[in-house]
Amino acid sequence: MNEASYKKFFRAPTSADKLDLFQTLSDLNEINPDLAFALLKIVHAELSAAQGEDSAYKQYAKTIAFLRHRRGEMLRYVSDIWDAERTAELPDWLKDGVIK
């Protein structure tokens, strides 16, 4: 292995890399709803912050479509947690994302 090959192990994963991991784990039936939620939330945040590329948006949409058609119960779980987090009030000691 040359030096360039080693460097790929130390680069930050892209949104597409994370979605590839999601798909691989799903194909192997090794993904659980909590891991699905965590990966999708991270990718969603990256794409919302405009850090993603167009192909990552398409891959994200395909992942959601896959869940809808093949793993509906997992998508409902992820959606329910997501909605619960959005409606939850911040504690008094955390306002506007700042610890007080």
Side-chain angles (χ1 to χ4, degrees):
M1 253 186 185
N2 61 25
E3 186 177 328
S5 297
Y6 289 113
K7 287 183 180 181
K8 69 180 176 184
F9 292 114
F10 297 100
R11 70 175 176 78
T14 65
S15 297
D17 293 332
K18 293 169 191 151
L19 290 168
D20 287 341
L21 173 63
F22 184 100
Q23 189 62 52
T24 299
L25 292 172
S26 184
D27 291 346
L28 296 171
N29 205 24
E30 293 291 327
I31 195 159
N32 64 48
D34 292 320
L35 181 56
F37 171 72
L39 284 170
L40 291 174
K41 185 172 181 177
I42 290 167
V43 171
H44 185 270
E46 290 173 355
L47 295 176
S48 295
Q51 296 175 3
E53 51 201 50
D54 287 343
S55 62
Y57 286 101
K58 290 177 185 175
Q59 191 175 359
Y60 181 78
K62 286 180 182 179
T63 300
I64 297 300
F66 166 81
L67 283 175
R68 183 178 300 121
H69 296 292
R70 300 279 174 104
R71 304 248 174 133
E73 71 287 343
M74 188 178 293
L75 182 58
R76 279 188 293 282
Y77 177 85
V78 168
S79 179
D80 289 346
I81 292 176
W82 212 306
D83 288 342
E85 280 193 356
R86 260 192 279 203
T87 58
E89 281 191 37
L90 293 175
D92 290 338
W93 54 268
L94 179 64
K95 292 293 181 187
D96 301 321
V98 177
I99 297 174
K100 296 187 179 198

